Amino acid sequence: MSTLEIDRVRKSYSSLAVLKEVSISINTGDFLVLLGPSGCGKSTLLNMIAGLETITGGEIRIAGKVVNDLSPKDRDIAMVFQSYALYPTMTVRQNIEFGMKIRGVSPGEREAAVKAAADMLQITHLLDRKPSQLSGGQRQRVAMGRAIVRQPKLFLFDEPLSNLDAKLRVDMRTEIKRLHARLGTTIVYVTHDQIEAMTLATRVAVMKDGVVQHLDEPQAVYDRPANVYVARFVGSPAMNIVPACLEVQGATATVVFDIANRPSSRISGIPVSEQAARKYSGRKVLAGIRPENFAVAANGADANLVVDVDVVEPTGPDTLVVFQLGGAEVTARLPPKQALPGSEARLVVDTSRIVLFDADTEARID
Ligand SMILES: Nc1ncnc2c1ncn2[C@@H]1O[C@H](COP(=O)(O)OP(=O)(O)OP(=O)(O)O)[C@@H](O)[C@H]1O
Ligand SMILES: [Mg+2]
């Protein structure tokens, strides 16, 4: 069942269009991540789902019901903000049960709900403390506890981990994933962190300037990004985008790269559709190659790419090797100690994973 439908939703502040015809639909149990850079409209969209912002155009439906004109408290949602918004004068217990108290839930039921949520979040020993006596991560758990006890149809999270240090952020990410698995609830989660999006989401919407660029499962977004923007935003180091010329031979193609001080390099055997072959044969394209899709040729003769190594950056588990290709700076992720600066590297590119983009529109070529 579709729990949330965002149907051609628009938002303007006077003449400024912040969201332009956004359409996203997710099913019960989905974990939707709204991913994009600062200012792209993520919080605005989340706040519109919550009822904290008016909707300029289009429709939002929760469990089939249009909520455009419903007040936040009637939408059956719970929201966790970046700032947690805990009541400073109340204890953790009072913070968690406050909403239930307002709704007239009996003391016995409240007690049981607080206990269950506190156990799950491992904050039982903190129930009598005030928020000021908690660490950032503990506060974050309390804010989640408050959301859980409401048993809403939809959880909304706006960058809930951005105030935490790097280590805690990774721990809490795992907690949120576990929580989602245990409760099976539907979640909409805002972040600008592509790793959070990849690890948590069942569906990712990559946004830019108020427009959804790509909506799909995280692996599909990673493997077959809709355009160059998405390709560069998801994955670190980013996907290499290399200008090339496309030559077609039946069902496969060759990309031809110019390399400074060397004969141009040709990588053959890239699968292309009949339609793409017809349209792009002999034309300039952009070849998208992930850093991990390069390997060192086991036998020098197997190499389909020979380059001059510019910079070598060891990261521990592997080494980032930087070189020039087709006029672009390219990064390959290789095993440690496989390349030296200033030396020649004989590489193999996994042709099945190369993604081609239109050089003008920057849209993926299918
Ligand atoms: N009340 C407002 N009046 C005018 N413009 C606004 C208002 N609120 C937000 N905006 C603009 O709308 C755009 C989207 O803002 P929004 O807060 O949704 O971005 P965001 O993607 O959540 O960014 P961040 O990652 O920085 O939180 C921004 O350009 C912002 O300046
Ligand atoms: Mg925001």
Side-chain angles (χ1 to χ4, degrees):
M1 193 185 82
S2 176
T3 293
L4 172 68
E5 292 158 281
I6 301 166
D7 189 3
R8 287 165 291 162
V9 159
R10 290 182 291 114
K11 177 71 181 180
S12 303
Y13 292 108
S14 56
S15 66
L16 178 72
V18 172
L19 292 174
K20 302 155 193 163
E21 296 247 329
V22 171
S23 293
I24 300 172
S25 178
I26 58 168
N27 294 324
T28 304
D30 261 335
F31 197 130
L32 170 70
V33 172
L34 303 177
L35 173 69
S38 184
C40 73
K42 307 178 296 290
S43 296
T44 303
L45 183 56
L46 198 74
N47 290 338
M48 287 160 85
I49 300 168
L52 303 172
E53 286 277 6
T54 58
I55 298 170
T56 308
E59 225 170 62
I60 295 181
R61 296 184 286 275
I62 297 175
K65 186 167 144 193
V66 178
V67 298
N68 284 39
D69 300 317
L70 230 67
S71 79
K73 68 175 173 34
D74 297 325
R75 292 193 182 197
D76 208 357
I77 49 142
M79 187 148 170
V80 176
F81 297 91
Q82 181 176 350
S83 61
Y84 315 144
L86 300 176
Y87 300 109
T89 59
M90 293 185 192
T91 63
V92 167
R93 183 191 312 279
Q94 288 165 334
N95 262 286
I96 294 176
E97 69 177 359
F98 183 70
M100 290 187 284
K101 213 165 169 179
I102 297 289
R103 289 198 307 281
V105 175
S106 73
E109 259 180 82
R110 286 193 328 242
E111 172 75 35
V114 170
K115 184 176 182 316
D119 281 353
M120 186 183 302
L121 296 164
Q122 299 172 357
I123 51 172
T124 307
H125 60 296
L126 305 173
L127 285 173
D128 296 316
R129 288 204 202 166
K130 297 271 175 64
S132 61
Q133 298 166 311
L134 303 177
S135 71
Q138 291 167 336
R139 279 179 216 176
Q140 212 273 339
R141 280 163 213 256
V142 176
M144 292 218 291
R146 201 169 51 176
I148 290 169
V149 296
R150 296 201 51 181
Q151 299 189 306
K153 279 211 183 65
L154 197 57
F155 278 105
L156 306 178
F157 290 89
D158 193 349
E159 310 230 16
L161 307 184
S162 58
N163 282 336
L164 308 179
D165 66 48
K167 164 88 173 72
L168 196 54
R169 206 153 60 210
V170 172
D171 291 348
M172 286 309 294
R173 196 172 76 199
T174 310
E175 293 277 328
I176 291 176
K177 182 120 192 182
R178 188 176 289 132
L179 201 70
H180 178 245
R182 280 177 70 171
L183 298 174
T185 43
T186 314
I187 295 177
V188 183
Y189 185 106
V190 164
T191 184
H192 59 262
D193 181 336
Q194 53 94 19
I195 304 266
E196 261 177 45
M198 286 299 293
T199 51
L200 290 171
T202 59
R203 312 263 294 159
V204 183
V206 183
M207 297 175 65
K208 181 193 168 203
D209 298 338
V211 178
V212 174
Q213 305 288 316
H214 196 166
L215 170 67
D216 209 331
E217 293 170 6
Q219 197 66 49
V221 170
Y222 186 82
D223 290 338
R224 309 269 308 148
N227 55 40
V228 168
Y229 178 81
V230 175
R232 287 202 167 117
F233 199 82
V234 177
S236 177
M239 181 183 258
N240 299 293
I241 304 294
V242 192
C245 188
L246 198 73
E247 291 176 3
V248 173
Q249 306 86 25
T252 62
T254 299
V255 279
V256 183
F257 300 114
D258 289 333
I259 306 187
N261 310 320
R262 282 182 181 273
S264 54
S265 181
R266 309 168 61 85
I267 299 181
S268 301
I270 302 166
V272 284
S273 70
E274 213 174 295
Q275 187 191 343
R278 225 176 302 126
K279 184 165 173 195
Y280 290 96
S281 180
R283 283 182 54 187
K284 284 241 173 292
V285 295
L286 298 170
I289 313 172
R290 293 273 177 209
E292 66 273 23
N293 296 145
F294 294 94
V296 177
N299 170 347
D302 297 341
N304 58 8
L305 185 65
V306 181
V307 296
D308 296 307
V309 176
D310 188 4
V311 181
V312 174
E313 300 172 330
T315 66
D318 41 39
T319 296
L320 304 178
V321 175
V322 180
F323 51 87
Q324 297 292 319
L325 183 63
E329 188 168 281
V330 167
T331 301
R333 188 196 295 278
L334 300 175
K337 297 184 181 165
Q338 295 279 341
L340 289 172
S343 71
E344 178 183 277
R346 304 185 75 79
L347 304 175
V348 181
V349 182
D350 183 348
T351 50
S352 69
R353 302 188 65 87
I354 293 180
V355 185
L356 301 175
F357 300 96
D358 186 297
D360 298 321
T361 66
E362 301 200 341
R364 191 186 67 230
I365 297 169
D366 281 317

